[in-house]
Amino acid sequence: MPQVKICGIGELNHALVAAQAGADYIGLVFVPERRRRVAPDTAREIIAGVREGCPKPPKAVGLFAGQPLEEVSRLSIDCGLDLAQLCSGESLEFCDQLRAETGVKVIRVVHVPDDGGDASDGIAETLNRFQANGHLITLDRLVAGLQGGTGQSFDWNMASQLAQQGHDFFLAGGLTPDNVARAVATVQPWGVDVSTGVETNGVKDNAKIRAFISNAKGEANAKNGAA
């Protein structure tokens, strides 16, 4: 059954809906000038509210991009994050040092061109290097000037090949409640990650959050039941 991450959470209500629907991770954006950015006080309130209100709360992931190590470390500790997701090509050394300083696990985003095929060897090499040091990976669509949350997908066949080679990763980019079951069936990712796809007019939609989680995990349940 894939892990499910609901990203871009900005309100406790949406975090609780995600948790109650079975989300494994919630993502909070700390990247300056991004629409979904949350203040540290808000992040702490959301994380505390979920942990107090749910018997099995999802893990809290903070999203960062191109920010100094000192800032990422401070926010990770002050907000009580479980993981830090790095979205701007941060080096392996940066990831290693962040984990050593804070104890939080690291998710490193790897951006994939639309066609994916020509870049597959280089992406596999990157996955090998980061995963060998214990870091998680998210595969997301490469869009110039953006680090994520674009709502655009890439070639799932390339992602499927990486999964068949034994790579575990979150699949992100262009996922919605309508296509996530097909994505899980096609790619067999370790996890799926969504933000734009569970929004209506730029705001998290509780019905879409529930449907996304149900469809993502339902596809895996259906395959297991047929086995």
Side-chain angles (χ1 to χ4, degrees), residues 57-134:
K59 296 184 184 300
V61 184
L63 275 70
F64 305 91
Q67 292 154 263
L69 178 63
E70 179 182 359
E71 178 182 349
V72 179
S73 295
R74 174 175 52 80
L75 287 169
S76 296
I77 293 171
D78 289 351
C79 295
L81 299 177
D82 297 299
L83 301 96
Q85 179 168 319
L86 306 177
C87 306
S88 191
E90 285 79 1
S91 68
L92 180 59
E93 292 73 19
F94 188 107
C95 297
D96 289 345
Q97 190 170 348
L98 175 61
R99 185 177 60 187
E101 289 185 2
T102 65
V104 303
K105 292 185 177 180
V106 174
I107 304 173
R108 168 55 150 74
V109 175
V110 175
H111 291 102
V112 182
D114 183 21
D115 58 10
D118 292 341
S120 59
D121 290 343
I123 290 171
E125 181 181 350
T126 299
L127 267 60
N128 283 330
R129 290 195 301 113
F130 282 85
Q131 291 176 325
N133 282 28

Side-chain angles (χ1 to χ4, degrees), residues 155-219:
D155 181 9
W156 287 348
N157 290 324
M158 186 276 292
S160 176
Q161 291 173 10
L162 291 170
Q164 291 172 21
Q165 293 168 11
H167 293 291
D168 290 334
F169 53 81
F170 282 104
L171 179 68
L175 297 178
T176 70
D178 293 332
N179 70 12
V180 67
R182 180 165 57 88
V184 170
T186 300
V187 178
Q188 294 293 296
W190 181 80
V192 289
D193 186 347
V194 67
S195 184
T196 305
V198 291
E199 294 179 350
T200 298
N201 297 325
V203 178
K204 287 291 180 289
D205 183 316
N206 287 340
K208 289 183 179 180
I209 291 173
R210 294 187 184 98
F212 184 91
I213 296 170
S214 174
N215 293 346
K217 293 182 178 288
E219 169 63 27

